[in-house]
Amino acid sequence: QDVESATGNSRGPGGTSGQVSGEWKQDDMEGVRTMMRQGRMDDAILMLETMAESKPDITELVGPLVEAHLGYIELLAPLDAVMPELKNRIMWSHYSRVLELEPENEVAKEGLPAVLEYFDEFNIELPEEINPIHFFEPVTINGELVSPEIPGT
């Protein structure tokens, strides 16, 4: 996943987004939209969150960020190959990020209770921070290193 940071440094595999001095170009957003159409929600989220870090007023990014986070959940939710605990941690983080961006988002407000119920049912503590990008890297659950790769993304 190649994403350029606000300083122009590449983060992950392959991209040149043209970011300079904390700004981005319109073709960056076109690239994000292409990623989303291709189902590459993880790449789109990485790029959008990097863009959001570089600009104090992210109003124009809220819609695409919400769409990408919810799109990622949509791809993840039906997968049986992902450990249920990991899946619920990921979904909690994405739903929570959506609600940070758009507190009245109905999809996130409707989806989050089932995730919270899972945590409660299995007496699992909620993650300490909302950081959906954290889950694009392998994580340790119950002493086991688990990769949250979504097949086909």
Side-chain angles (χ1 to χ4, degrees):
Q1 296 144 349
D2 227 354
V3 177
E4 253 183 48
S5 71
T7 60
N9 297 325
S10 184
R11 189 172 90 186
T16 54
S17 69
Q19 293 169 316
V20 180
S21 304
E23 296 298 321
W24 59 85
K25 297 180 180 177
Q26 185 58 36
D27 53 335
D28 292 329
M29 285 305 295
E30 291 171 20
V32 166
R33 290 281 180 207
T34 298
M35 290 175 202
M36 291 168 63
R37 280 192 303 274
Q38 294 171 344
R40 295 172 40 217
M41 297 303 176
D42 53 344
D43 290 330
I45 290 167
L46 283 170
M47 184 167 233
L48 286 164
E49 291 290 357
T50 299
M51 291 163 72
E53 287 174 10
S54 74
K55 188 171 183 171
D57 178 17
I58 64 164
T59 305
E60 65 199 70
L61 298 177
V62 169
L65 275 163
V66 166
E67 183 181 343
H69 283 290
L70 293 177
Y72 192 85
I73 292 170
E74 191 175 307
L75 292 172
L76 177 68
L79 297 180
D80 293 330
V82 179
M83 283 177 43
E85 183 176 344
L86 177 60
K87 184 189 296 189
N88 281 281
R89 286 176 182 271
I90 293 169
M91 290 171 57
W92 175 84
S93 199
H94 285 277
Y95 280 137
S96 297
R97 179 64 172 137
V98 167
L99 291 172
E100 280 182 338
L101 295 164
E102 202 173 81
E104 296 304 315
N105 184 281
E106 289 300 319
V107 174
K109 285 169 64 174
E110 290 174 12
L112 192 57
V115 173
L116 294 174
E117 186 177 308
Y118 176 88
F119 281 96
D120 188 48
E121 181 180 340
F122 292 98
N123 199 26
I124 299 170
E125 287 187 37
L126 288 171
E128 292 181 22
E129 67 175 330
I130 298 170
N131 184 2
I133 294 175
H134 162 79
F135 292 105
F136 295 148
E137 301 295 328
V139 294
T140 302
I141 292 184
N142 297 330
E144 181 181 339
L145 191 64
V146 179
S147 178
E149 285 292 314
I150 295 178
T153 63

